[in-house]
Structure formats: C-alpha cells, structure tokens
C-alpha cells in the first residue's frame, strides 16, 4: 500500500506542474487575445499569427487542464446522491467510472496519433511556423497518454485500497468545495 501511495504522490507532483503550465498558458492566450482585439479594433492593425497562437494555446491548455481536473476529481460528481448510497454501490460506480476512463483514453491514443500523422504533413497556415497537427492532434495525444496513466493508477489504487478519496473531490489550498 505504501508503494501505491508513493506512485500517487509522484503523479500528483506531475499534476501540479501541469496545473501551473496550464494556468500560464491560459494567461498568455488571454493576454494575446486582448492584444489582438485592441490591435484590430482600435488601431486597425491586427497582428498576423496571433489568432492561431491563441487557438494553439487554448487547445493545449484545455487538454492538459482536463487531465488536472480528472486527477483532482473536479469533474461533475453527484456527491449528494453518492453520499446517500450504500458503500457497495459507490464502489461499483467508482470502479466502473475509472475503467471507463481507462478504455476511452486507450482508444484515443491510436486515433489521435493517426490524426497527428495526417495533420503533420500539412503545410503551416495562419502564421505559425508549424502544421496544425502540433496544436490540434498532439495535445489530444498527450492528454490521452496522461489520462491513461492517471486512470490506470486510480483504477488500481481504488481497487487495492478501497479509499474513496481517490475518486471524490478533495479540498485543495486556495479554494473550497461547497457542502
């Protein structure tokens, strides 16, 4: 059980890095978006390539952000219903949910790899010096791999420990959960 917890802590540290990176990416794309709006509507001089850079940062931040939300159990959970259900029912639902995410992540990997290979061959457009594959398909591939690792851990750790804190939202510093 100690090894299970140490693996979870290591994944948690990677998740913390992803959260910080995602936060900065969102800040940068919002700043670029504001700059582009000002340049376009105030100065009538939009900057070529900013729109595509915003799209790229938005897609990367959303894909990595989904991983952090999954790890922190910040997704929609009907806690008020789950808390009133018997322990056996909750265990079945949490186990099914974890394995469903494993299967979906597994399926996304080859599909997003194939999409990346197709898009990588396309010439760059929109002002960025690389093809759209690097900001349309690659973020989904990275998200799928990270989600697979996280979901396999959660599924195995929950089955081994039975600890529901693996599957339910946990209050973090800087914010709180509504009761």
């Amino acid at each position: 059980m100690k090894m299970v917890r140490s693996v979870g802590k290591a994944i948690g540290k990677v998740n913390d890095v992803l959260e910080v990176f995602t936060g900065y990416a969102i800040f940068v794309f919002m700043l670029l978006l504001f700059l582009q709006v000002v340049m376009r509507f105030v100065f009538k001089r939009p900057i070529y390539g900013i729109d595509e850079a915003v799209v790229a940062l938005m897609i990367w931040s959303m894909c990595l952000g989904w991983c952090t939300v999954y790890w922190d159990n910040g997704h929609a959970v009907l806690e008020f219903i789950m808390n009133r259900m018997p322990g056996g029912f909750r265990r079945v639902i949490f186990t099914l949910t974890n394995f469903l995410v494993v299967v979906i992540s597994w399926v996304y990997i080859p599909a997003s790899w194939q999409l990346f290979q197709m898009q990588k061959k396309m010439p760059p457009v929109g002002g960025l010096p690389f093809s759209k594959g690097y900001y349309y398909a690659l973020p989904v591939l990275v998200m799928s791999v990270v989600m697979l690792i996280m979901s396999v851990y959660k599924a195995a750790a929950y089955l081994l420990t039975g600890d529901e804190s693996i599957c339910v939202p946990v209050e973090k510093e800087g914010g709180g959960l509504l009761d």
Side-chain angles (χ1 to χ4, degrees), residues 22-175:
T22 300
Y24 282 121
I26 291 170
F27 174 77
V28 169
F29 89 66
M30 293 299 289
L31 186 66
L32 289 173
L33 192 59
F34 174 76
L35 176 66
Q36 184 72 330
V37 167
V38 169
M39 293 303 293
R40 177 170 285 145
F41 294 106
V42 175
F43 298 106
K44 308 288 188 232
R45 294 259 196 241
I47 300 171
Y48 181 69
I50 284 190
D51 294 330
E52 284 298 306
V54 166
V55 169
L57 287 168
M58 186 183 307
I59 293 171
W60 272 103
S61 66
M62 296 306 115
C63 286
L64 296 177
W66 173 243
C67 295
T68 65
V69 166
Y70 174 73
W71 183 255
D72 292 336
N73 298 309
H75 44 67
V77 176
L78 300 174
E79 278 188 87
F80 63 95
I81 294 174
M82 291 299 284
N83 288 339
R84 289 166 177 75
M85 294 296 156
F89 178 79
R90 285 196 314 265
R91 189 161 176 86
V92 167
I93 294 300
F94 289 146
T95 301
L96 285 174
T97 303
N98 287 330
F99 280 106
L100 181 63
V101 176
V102 168
V103 170
I104 291 170
S105 299
W106 183 262
V107 169
Y108 269 45
I109 291 172
S112 56
W113 176 254
Q114 184 178 10
L115 184 60
F116 174 68
Q117 292 301 322
M118 289 176 2
Q119 288 182 344
K120 188 172 73 167
K121 296 173 187 170
M122 297 171 71
V125 293
L128 294 180
F130 43 82
S131 74
K132 288 185 176 187
Y134 289 96
Y135 57 96
Y136 275 15
L138 189 60
V140 177
L141 177 61
V142 170
M143 175 193 70
S144 301
V145 170
V146 172
M147 287 292 290
L148 182 63
I149 292 166
M150 289 177 166
S151 60
V152 165
Y153 168 79
K154 279 189 171 198
Y158 183 66
L159 283 176
L160 291 172
T161 66
D163 182 6
E164 286 191 3
S165 69
I166 294 169
C167 300
V168 297
V170 179
E171 190 172 336
K172 292 179 79 170
E173 183 180 341

